[in-house]
Amino acid sequence: MPWLMILVLLLALILFGVGFTLKVLWILAAIVLILWLLGFVVRSTGPSGRRGRWYRW
């Protein structure tokens, strides 16, 4: 019976880790989205005075 308790605790630890990781990934995705949107607003002007693309592709 102790193996069952260890299995349940291990499962709880794994699920907690996955939940924490997903929360961190959501926060990182939100930060990247904000930076990406700011890139459209804060663009520098090129030599011709026109606003160029802020990305390279």
Side-chain angles (χ1 to χ4, degrees):
M1 215 42 133
W3 57 271
L4 185 61
M5 192 181 335
I6 290 173
L7 186 65
V8 169
L9 288 174
L10 188 62
L11 184 64
L13 187 65
I14 290 172
L15 290 176
F16 173 76
V18 169
F20 180 75
T21 303
L22 286 177
K23 182 170 179 144
V24 169
L25 288 176
W26 271 110
I27 292 171
L28 284 175
I31 290 171
V32 168
L33 178 67
I34 289 170
L35 289 176
W36 182 66
L37 290 173
L38 278 175
F40 285 109
V41 176
V42 186
R43 287 186 289 181
S44 62
T45 55
S48 63
R50 218 180 81 189
R51 286 186 180 252
R53 292 182 298 189
W54 63 275
Y55 50 88
R56 297 227 174 238
W57 33 272

